Amino acid sequence: MTGENTTRTFGPTGRRVAAIGQGSWRIEESEADSAVAAMRRGLDLGLTHLDTAEMYGSGAAESIIAEAILGRRDEVFLVSKVLPSNASKHGTLAACEKSLARLRTDRLDCYLLHWRGAYPLEETIAAFDRLVRDGKILSWGVSNFDVADIDEVAAIAGAGHPACNQVLYHLQERAIEHAVLPWCQRHGTALVAYTPFGASTSPFDARTAQGKVLEEIAEAHRATARQVALRFLLRHLEVFVIPKASSIAHVAENAGAAGVELSAAELARIDAAFPRGRPRRGLPMI
Ligand SMILES: NC(=O)c1ccc[n+]([C@@H]2O[C@H](COP(=O)([O-])OP(=O)(O)OC[C@H]3O[C@@H](n4cnc5c(N)ncnc54)[C@H](OP(=O)(O)O)[C@@H]3O)[C@@H](O)[C@H]2O)c1
């Protein structure tokens, strides 16, 4: 297993961050104790990049993460997001304070604008700068930003910003490979892939043509189709994945992806089975 399989440099922050992390959307729908136990096992297995948002369960996901990271804050790269409807200057400052309180911590490692809304980017960025100066966030980024939007952010904030762009990216949705990923590669920005398993389970069903490809490659590595899928997304060193799992078995399987090394021929086979498609207008998002 190479170093880049487990941790990699998170954009301009220079921090080494777990390439495979843990999402938390809808985590509050699981029984709290088992969700916390699963997340803690994930931390044990190196899945220390935790993604949450004030939106998730209206703060409930952040409260569950607070339990999971109790006594372990320094192990974790903790990311939360401000809703666009709160992203005025004062609204962002207030939202961050509330997230910190729910997470029972004094700082976020990265704070994201969840998607672009009506408030001018200058206002949100001014708030992010203030939060950095106050030590409440160590870096900031964006989510669901297409190239024109992220260009605007870079023009306002200057080199080294944003730290990341968190976008929809899975085998059946590769639109970001056309322009957003190249932008991140040119600017040294981290690209965080959300919903890395996609909306459908068909790629993981060996009875489908696509599932058969993943299954055959997985078998050759004594791995699983989901592990192969994560590794395909991680083939670019700028990419991080944040699968959400609420059971120990799922967390362990996802962590196991770090040990899978795909050959160029296997990557090419997956590329052919899950075509990237043509560039489209607009960025796909959930
Ligand atoms: N920025 C944004 O706009 C945005 C949008 C969507 C998501 N996100 C973030 O990205 C994270 C991941 O995306 P997501 O939650 O939409 O989708 P996902 O991580 O691709 O998939 C989650 C689903 O996969 C299942 N799963 C996980 N590991 C599995 C395994 N090894 N075997 C079988 N099933 C497994 C989970 O089940 P169990 O829960 O039963 O384990 C859950 O049903 C979110 O949780 C959130 O933090 C961000």
Side-chain angles (χ1 to χ4, degrees), residues 19-34:
I20 303 170
Q22 302 189 71
S24 66
W25 188 27
R26 298 193 171 137
I27 197 110
E28 76 287 352
E29 291 171 13
S30 304
E31 204 267 308
D33 286 350
S34 61

Side-chain angles (χ1 to χ4, degrees), residues 209-233:
Q210 290 180 323
K212 195 161 182 290
V213 169
L214 290 186
E215 194 55 42
E216 284 175 9
I217 294 171
E219 272 175 21
H221 290 272
R222 295 173 184 236
T224 68
R226 279 189 171 78
Q227 291 173 334
V228 170
L230 292 181
R231 283 256 52 100
F232 181 82
L233 303 182

Side-chain angles (χ1 to χ4, degrees), residues 1-6 8 217-218 220-223 227-228 230-232 234-235 237 256-267 270:
M1 193 189 309
T2 67
E4 300 294 325
N5 279 5
T6 49
R8 34 184 76 178
I217 294 171
H221 290 272
R222 295 173 184 236
Q227 291 173 334
V228 170
L230 292 181
R231 283 256 52 100
F232 181 82
L234 289 167
R235 72 199 183 287
L237 290 181
V260 180
E261 290 281 3
L262 299 180
S263 68
E266 289 167 333
L267 291 173
I270 299 168

Side-chain angles (χ1 to χ4, degrees), residues 7 21 25 34 52 65 67 73 75 81 85 87 106 113 124 165 180 218 227 236 255 259 265 276 281-283:
T7 64
W25 188 27
S34 61
T52 190
I65 289 188
E67 289 292 324
R73 175 66 186 88
E75 291 172 44
K81 313 185 194 82
S85 52
D106 59 348
L113 174 57
T124 316
N165 189 13
V180 171
Q227 291 173 334
H236 297 290
R276 179 193 289 184
R281 228 172 222 283
L283 189 68

Side-chain angles (χ1 to χ4, degrees), residues 4 7-10 15-17 19 234 236-237 239-240:
E4 300 294 325
T7 64
R8 34 184 76 178
T9 304
F10 195 82
R15 305 248 326 254
R16 296 292 294 182
V17 173
L234 289 167
H236 297 290
L237 290 181
V239 174
F240 295 77

Side-chain angles (χ1 to χ4, degrees), residues 22-27 30 50-53 55-56 81 112-115 142-144 166-170 192-199 201 204 224 226-227 230 242-254 285-286:
Q22 302 189 71
S24 66
W25 188 27
R26 298 193 171 137
I27 197 110
S30 304
L50 301 186
D51 181 77
T52 190
M55 186 189 99
Y56 300 161
K81 313 185 194 82
L112 313 186
L113 174 57
H114 209 146
W115 64 89
V142 294
S143 177
N144 297 301
Q166 185 180 121
V167 289
L168 178 65
Y169 185 33
H170 57 82
V192 180
Y194 75 69
T195 316
F197 293 134
T201 53
F204 311 113
T224 68
R226 279 189 171 78
Q227 291 173 334
L230 292 181
I242 46 167
K244 174 260 183 184
S246 42
S247 73
I248 285 179
H250 286 174
V251 165
E253 179 177 345
N254 300 343
M285 58 187 278
I286 284 189

